[in-house]
Amino acid sequence: MLLRLPGEIRNLIYRHVFRSADNKHDSGGGYKHYKFDLSLMLVNQQIYFESRKIFRDHNIFVAIETPWPEAQQHVRNDGYVPILITDEQAARFNHQHLSVIINAPRYQMFQHYKPRKFIILLDDLPVFTEMWFYSDLSHLSLNSNLRLTLKLQNPFPISFDPRPIPKATQQKLLEPFGVVKGLLEVKVEGDHYISLEKAMRAEMAIPYMTPEVCLDEATKLKNEGNVALGKKQYREAIKRYEKSFLAIHIVCEGRRRSIWGDEFFHRELVSGPFKGQHGQMVRLVLRIRLVANIIHAYLQLYEYEEARFWGQRSIDLMPGDIETSMFAASPELGKIYYRTAMAYKALGNVSEAGRLLKLAVKYLPNDKMVRAEHMALTPHM
């Protein structure tokens, strides 16, 4: 039946079956995985060759090689990068357009490790390099000890026409590495456009924005969110607050929040509006204020479960011995407890609401609304 269809229609079917985006599935918790069904290729020889071309056109493979056994787990678990092939199957795989070889030549101990190889798709390469960007901010001596070799190859050359990888594909392969900065050494091998390598290296040479700039930008975005909140533009306010988080290297995607760059902010600020203050403390205060405002926005949208989730996640991370009179964000902590309590109350959990209101009173002893809510729930506890 399939071969009775026009070739153009068959190609549309092949694209739908083999396109990576159509085979990417949600694993929960922000994780993704691929599941390809290749059984169509087994129907007969003609369909095999037709569909194989479409599969190769829509799935560009990248091989990652490192000497560290924990790298693969870090990439998958912390970077949320879907890994397609691992272990012995990955070691035998040679159909990649790009090999990314990472090693640490200054450390002799790693020279004796057997390289670990795993395969990802080109579609996920920007996610991989973004994770690398954040990893370096979290471990400031990381990149200065690493050598990166990028080897480009056409994995399916034709003997009579061994042309290189198309320029547009080369750009997609090299461009994401512009965010990986401060490496000990970078080499690009294989037949490639020198202009693309120069563009990548130019981007690599641009230094990170300083903690001072990041915190200033995050504060501006928070203030823009506050303006939107005042105008009852609650969705827009949440978008601005999440962009503010991103400016200080905290990635919020759905219910996932990845906190990067603690070491990056761990110093005294030397310029800007927060000069003389410690970067981590300024960042912490900003985080607390952003969470308090996001909870408020979700309450106004009547999205009580989202409000509860944002509040409870932050409450779970709070130390239990914060001195209210000494901490700059004590009022915002009180608001987190109060607003989370209101979410619990709306969801019917009166006992938890009462417990959190008792804590809110500790931080906001003069807030009449907080005290009134606490007193109103006390008889029910």
Side-chain angles (χ1 to χ4, degrees):
M1 289 293 293
L2 185 59
L3 291 177
R4 294 178 185 176
L5 297 173
E8 294 85 354
I9 301 300
R10 292 202 302 274
N11 285 341
L12 287 174
I13 294 171
Y14 300 146
R15 289 190 191 99
H16 176 69
V17 172
F18 295 128
R19 193 172 60 176
S20 59
D22 293 327
N23 289 278
K24 197 172 190 177
H25 305 281
D26 190 353
S27 303
Y31 295 99
K32 306 288 183 182
H33 70 278
Y34 290 99
K35 187 175 182 181
F36 289 92
D37 183 356
L38 304 180
S39 59
L40 182 62
M41 289 185 176
L42 304 177
V43 173
N44 61 42
Q45 189 176 55
Q46 181 178 342
I47 290 177
Y48 169 75
F49 284 110
E50 289 178 351
S51 62
R52 186 183 68 172
K53 181 182 185 305
I54 299 298
F55 180 85
R56 289 175 174 178
D57 288 345
H58 288 273
N59 297 280
I60 306 297
F61 298 100
V62 176
I64 314 292
E65 293 185 32
T66 82
W68 301 286
E70 68 275 9
Q72 179 177 303
Q73 182 178 356
H74 175 55
V75 168
R76 180 169 48 206
N77 295 349
D78 299 330
Y80 293 85
V81 181
I83 295 176
L84 201 62
I85 307 173
T86 62
D87 302 324
E88 291 302 318
Q89 188 178 2
R92 294 191 301 269
F93 189 87
N94 61 0
H95 297 313
Q96 68 270 13
H97 282 68
L98 176 67
S99 294
V100 180
I101 303 168
I102 307 163
N103 53 38
R106 289 176 173 172
Y107 293 91
Q108 290 300 316
M109 60 178 292
F110 293 124
Q111 309 313 311
H112 305 293
Y113 284 27
K114 181 181 178 181
R116 304 296 181 99
K117 181 179 175 182
F118 55 92
I119 311 299
I120 66 172
L121 286 174
L122 173 58
D123 292 351
D124 301 306
L125 185 59
V127 184
F128 171 79
T129 56
E130 180 185 83
M131 180 224 65
W132 193 346
F133 164 83
Y134 285 124
S135 294
D136 187 49
L137 291 175
S138 302
H139 308 279
L140 294 182
S141 62
L142 175 65
N143 281 3
S144 61
N145 291 293
L146 297 182
R147 178 170 59 200
L148 170 65
T149 303
L150 300 173
K151 291 185 177 181
L152 290 93
Q153 66 171 21
N154 182 352
F156 310 112
I158 302 174
S159 58
F160 60 84
D161 186 17
R163 63 183 62 187
I165 302 170
K167 186 175 183 178
T169 303
Q170 287 192 30
Q171 183 174 5
K172 291 179 181 178
L173 289 165
L174 294 178
E175 192 173 65
F177 289 93
V179 302
V180 182
K181 304 177 187 295
L183 291 163
L184 175 65
E185 184 182 0
V186 178
K187 296 192 293 184
V188 181
E189 301 177 355
D191 194 354
H192 66 283
Y193 289 86
I194 299 301
S195 60
L196 295 178
E197 178 184 347
K198 287 182 177 179
M200 179 195 73
R201 289 183 182 275
E203 188 67 25
M204 284 178 158
I206 299 172
Y208 296 131
M209 287 194 297
T210 64
E212 290 84 353
V213 171
C214 293
L215 289 164
D216 190 33
E217 177 64 17
T219 301
K220 290 176 182 176
L221 288 164
K222 177 184 71 69
N223 292 339
E224 291 174 7
N226 291 349
V227 171
L229 198 66
K231 293 179 180 179
K232 299 184 179 181
Q233 298 171 352
Y234 303 119
R235 297 287 182 199
E236 180 61 27
I238 292 169
K239 288 181 182 178
R240 294 291 172 176
Y241 294 143
E242 290 184 343
K243 287 183 178 180
S244 180
F245 270 122
L246 188 61
I248 52 174
H249 306 314
I250 298 174
V251 181
C252 300
E253 293 184 2
R255 288 193 164 190
R256 173 166 69 88
R257 183 167 63 181
S258 301
I259 302 172
W260 301 92
D262 284 351
E263 190 173 328
F264 178 72
F265 289 96
H266 190 67
R267 68 168 175 82
E268 183 178 322
L269 303 173
V270 298
S271 63
F274 305 108
K275 182 179 179 180
Q277 300 182 52
H278 195 279
Q280 272 287 53
M281 183 55 66
V282 174
R283 187 189 191 210
L284 176 60
V285 170
L286 181 57
R287 286 169 56 186
I288 290 171
R289 289 173 176 165
L290 287 169
V291 170
N293 290 355
I294 287 174
I295 299 169
H296 178 62
Y298 277 123
L299 287 174
Q300 298 306 308
L301 290 167
Y302 303 103
E303 295 185 19
Y304 300 119
E305 177 53 31
E306 282 300 309
R308 183 211 66 80
F309 175 81
W310 272 85
Q312 191 61 56
R313 177 171 58 184
S314 294
I315 289 168
D316 290 341
L317 293 172
M318 290 179 193
D321 55 351
I322 295 177
E323 175 55 52
T324 58
S325 62
M326 300 296 290
F327 187 52
S330 286
E332 283 74 18
L333 279 176
K335 290 175 183 178
I336 288 176
Y337 282 115
Y338 170 69
R339 291 167 181 172
T340 308
M342 292 299 94
Y344 272 112
K345 180 182 176 182
L347 292 168
N349 192 336
V350 175
S351 62
E352 185 62 15
R355 188 184 73 83
L356 295 180
L357 283 168
K358 183 178 179 180
L359 293 167
V361 170
K362 173 184 173 183
Y363 291 96
L364 299 168
N366 299 318
D367 191 307
K368 294 181 180 179
M369 185 180 298
V370 173
R371 296 188 71 86
E373 285 287 353
H374 180 237
M375 294 297 294
L377 285 186
T378 299
H380 301 283
M381 297 175 63

